[in-house]
Amino acid sequence: TAGRLNEDNLNTIVDACSSEPDDESKTRCMQQLIITTGEFHSTNLVTQSSEGRSTEAVGGNSTESYKAIVYFYLAGGLDSYNMLAPHTCNETDVHERYMVIRGKSAIAQGVGLTKDRLFEIEANNPNQPCESFGIHENLPALKNLYDDGKLNFIANAGLLAKPVTVDNYRGETPVQLFAHNAMTVEAKKEDLFDKFTGTGVGGRIADVLIQAGIPTNLFSIDGQQVL
């Protein structure tokens, strides 16, 4: 902040980070808090007014309970089959098939997750062969959220206009299925046939909610997005 950080803000940040266990943690804590200050987001001198912020009454449909969609786009990629894997499947041993596809052989274990490395969760869709799935052993928070009914998985979803095979997908699919840059854009638009050009699925959901009289806001912490 080029020396412009208000003394009160500085003392608040120092006090908040003083309990961190080491210097590296304290520095990281201070950096995270500094970016929340007015001085960080401006180039002029900032003067505190010491006045409380006014609040506006929320209009619209007040009978609706608060809900939020938090969208994380993992631009670096996510090996989803290393996060959620089939576990118990009575009709077909899908887990064993999963292990073979992930490299299991007579001489190698492969990269698939064995059942003892999975947190088992009950499936909630009877129209598929597995009674349960497993979450990676390093993600117990996801299991807890799922068990509490606060998280769900949408698995085996993709941008296909219709069922295709390895032989005909190039001519029957309007998107580039194996191009990461193209699929990044398509995943945010969810508009295979460009019926809503220039919009994203999140924006279209918000439009529907607003038209229904439900107060709705959107914001991004990563710049302007077509989402």
Side-chain angles (χ1 to χ4, degrees), residues 49 98 110 120 144 162 173-174 200:
S49 66
Y98 153 82
E120 187 176 8
N144 293 336
K162 62 181 181 180
T173 306

Side-chain angles (χ1 to χ4, degrees), residues 85-88 95 98-99 109 112-120 133-138:
H87 192 282
T88 301
H95 181 265
Y98 153 82
M99 293 293 292
Q109 182 64 40
L113 295 169
T114 55
K115 289 185 177 181
D116 61 349
R117 297 183 59 198
L118 294 170
F119 289 113
E120 187 176 8
F133 287 82
I135 298 174
H136 191 284
E137 59 187 342
N138 290 336

Side-chain angles (χ1 to χ4, degrees), residues 83-90 93 95 113-124 128-149 151 153:
M83 178 181 68
L84 182 71
H87 192 282
T88 301
C89 315
N90 289 330
D93 193 347
H95 181 265
L113 295 169
T114 55
K115 289 185 177 181
D116 61 349
R117 297 183 59 198
L118 294 170
F119 289 113
E120 187 176 8
I121 58 173
E122 293 184 4
N124 56 10
Q128 48 83 35
C130 294
E131 288 76 36
S132 64
F133 287 82
I135 298 174
H136 191 284
E137 59 187 342
N138 290 336
L139 298 172
L142 294 188
K143 173 178 168 51
N144 293 336
L145 289 171
Y146 183 89
D147 290 343
D148 291 341
L151 178 143
F153 292 94

